[in-house]
Amino acid sequence: MDEPSPRTETMDEPPATLIAGPCSAETREQVLETALQLASIGVTHYRASLWKPRTRPGSFEGVGLSGLAWLQEVRQRTHMQVGTELCLPEQAQPLIDGGIDFIWLGARTVSSPHTIDRIAEALRGSSISVFVKNPISPDTSLWLGAIERLKARGVDRVSAVLRGCTPVQPTRLRNYPHWTMATQLKQLYSDRFAGEQISVLLDPSHIAGDAQLVESICMAGRLYPIDGWMIETHAHPTEAWTDAAQQLTPQQLQRLIDRLYHTAPGEEDLLAPLRYQMQDLDDMIIDLLSERQTIARQIGLFKRKHGLTPFQESAYRASAHRYAYRAAEVGLESSFALQLYELIHQSSVRLQQAMMQQTPTEELPRQE
Ligand code: PEP
Ligand code: MN
């Protein structure tokens, strides 16, 4: 493995913190190889999780303290600051004694006030830098609460990281960005701590869940008060033991850094994430229409069994009225909603008319 060569061209001193490194520390070789490549492109803060809180049991949960020596070696050989995720109070002292420069508290941990209290107690009076990720739900108070619990124990070097929240419906992005949480947190923090400011980093990797979408999330983040980035980077992303789909190679990170530091975002950069959200909503509309068709088919079975006609004037009128009323309630034009209903309704009637011609092999599901 080569030692990092000094950078030949000068990059503007980044105005923001950039933390990069793999999702998990897997082996000494993987930690070192990724770190040396990152150091050679000018990264100053290296991350790798020793512990991995997994949603479900049975997958890789981190190498634990045995990987501490690898991070120490990275620190000694590259002079980068090194950090890892802290999940439990008993992990605090070995990390502090081991010379770890920064830790972060993950989204799942931040969602648990008692755990945060114990971690804050274990860190009491420490000058280690702590990055607090937002909780998995879009609850800015819970996020602030974790920060307050740390500050109440004299842990003062605290920053925040926006990593998005679990979406209600599956979407193109792994986590919904909830950009305004960054603005809200800054305001709440400043109100709570007499005008003091807190830095908020952006973690585009966990928002995107896909390496190809990381750049557009970073670009969109420029519309919000973001003070830096935490970006998952792995020398061989496709072989990563965790979060393989979302990690960049150091070369990809370098191109992204160059764009972030040296290029103003284009209109497309800012529009792309909005387009993903729009496409997700369009997908949901299609899914809902398909679900609606399933119900229309069940109604068709009932009508066939009881000799009713597909078109029923009173049900049609009641639904049309509901569409117009509901649309107006949420700021849509009633006439647009009525046209939409007309199309949807006609499609159901056509389906049921076709069913009337068929031999009744399909039975109406029994109501429990
Ligand atoms: C991570 O940074 O690797 C991680 C697991 O983050 P989060 O807590 O945001 O899911
Ligand atoms: Mn990860």
Side-chain angles (χ1 to χ4, degrees), residues 147-318:
I147 294 166
E148 289 179 302
R149 290 183 154 93
L150 290 162
K151 289 190 61 109
R153 281 24 179 255
V155 181
D156 280 326
R157 301 184 63 191
V158 181
S159 309
V161 181
L162 181 73
R163 51 78 77 198
C165 302
T166 307
V168 178
Q169 301 263 8
T171 65
R172 207 157 308 252
L173 300 176
R174 178 175 174 189
N175 286 295
Y176 193 85
H178 289 285
W179 296 108
T180 51
M181 285 178 77
T183 324
Q184 275 172 10
L185 181 77
K186 286 196 171 226
Q187 187 61 53
L188 289 173
Y189 182 92
S190 158
D191 293 347
R192 171 69 180 79
F193 295 106
E196 211 183 290
Q197 303 299 307
I198 187 164
S199 292
V200 179
L201 273 54
L202 174 66
D203 170 350
S205 309
H206 288 89
I207 290 176
D210 176 344
Q212 295 199 346
L213 304 181
V214 166
E215 177 168 326
S216 64
I217 300 297
C218 287
M219 290 299 171
R222 293 173 153 210
L223 290 177
Y224 301 90
I226 294 299
D227 306 294
W229 304 274
M230 178 187 275
I231 304 180
E232 286 191 344
T233 315
H234 192 292
H236 308 283
T238 53
E239 291 163 28
W241 296 2
T242 55
D243 286 352
Q246 72 193 31
Q247 305 200 54
L248 303 184
T249 62
Q251 294 71 28
Q252 288 170 327
L253 181 72
Q254 181 168 29
R255 284 195 290 276
L256 173 58
I257 293 171
D258 288 343
R259 285 209 64 203
L260 281 175
Y261 291 167
H262 302 304
T263 333
E267 282 174 8
E268 268 311 306
D269 295 324
L270 301 175
L271 278 177
L274 293 174
R275 291 222 169 91
Y276 298 140
Q277 284 176 26
M278 187 83 101
Q279 285 164 9
D280 285 334
L281 290 172
D282 287 341
D283 288 353
M284 281 182 212
I285 292 174
I286 294 291
D287 292 348
L288 287 174
L289 286 174
S290 152
E291 229 175 278
R292 194 182 190 286
Q293 182 172 274
T294 306
I295 306 286
R297 179 175 288 284
Q298 290 178 9
I299 294 177
L301 291 173
F302 183 92
K303 286 177 179 169
R304 187 170 63 191
K305 190 169 175 190
H306 296 89
L308 301 171
T309 56
F311 179 73
Q312 305 215 306
E313 178 86 25
S314 58
Y316 165 77
R317 283 195 186 286

Side-chain angles (χ1 to χ4, degrees), residues 23 47 49 52-53 85 104-108 133 163 174 203 206 230 232 243:
C23 179
R47 62 153 279 162
S49 303
K52 294 298 311 165
E85 176 170 346
W104 71 91
L105 307 178
R108 292 160 190 79
K133 293 210 173 189
R163 51 78 77 198
R174 178 175 174 189
D203 170 350
H206 288 89
M230 178 187 275
E232 286 191 344
D243 286 352

Side-chain angles (χ1 to χ4, degrees), residues 31-97:
V31 167
L32 268 254
E33 185 183 7
T34 307
L36 292 174
Q37 290 184 23
L38 287 174
S40 78
I41 62 167
V43 169
T44 54
H45 290 62
Y46 184 73
R47 62 153 279 162
S49 303
L50 300 179
W51 296 276
K52 294 298 311 165
R54 305 309 296 270
T55 304
R56 300 192 49 205
S59 42
F60 176 61
E61 294 192 328
V63 295
L65 263 189
S66 61
L68 179 59
W70 310 337
L71 292 178
Q72 289 165 334
E73 191 173 346
V74 167
R75 193 172 193 276
Q76 193 230 328
R77 285 173 67 172
T78 66
H79 307 293
M80 284 192 285
Q81 297 204 15
V82 294
T84 196
E85 176 170 346
L86 181 98
C87 309
L88 291 169
E90 58 268 31
Q91 295 159 355
Q93 206 52 48
L95 295 180
I96 293 171
D97 293 346

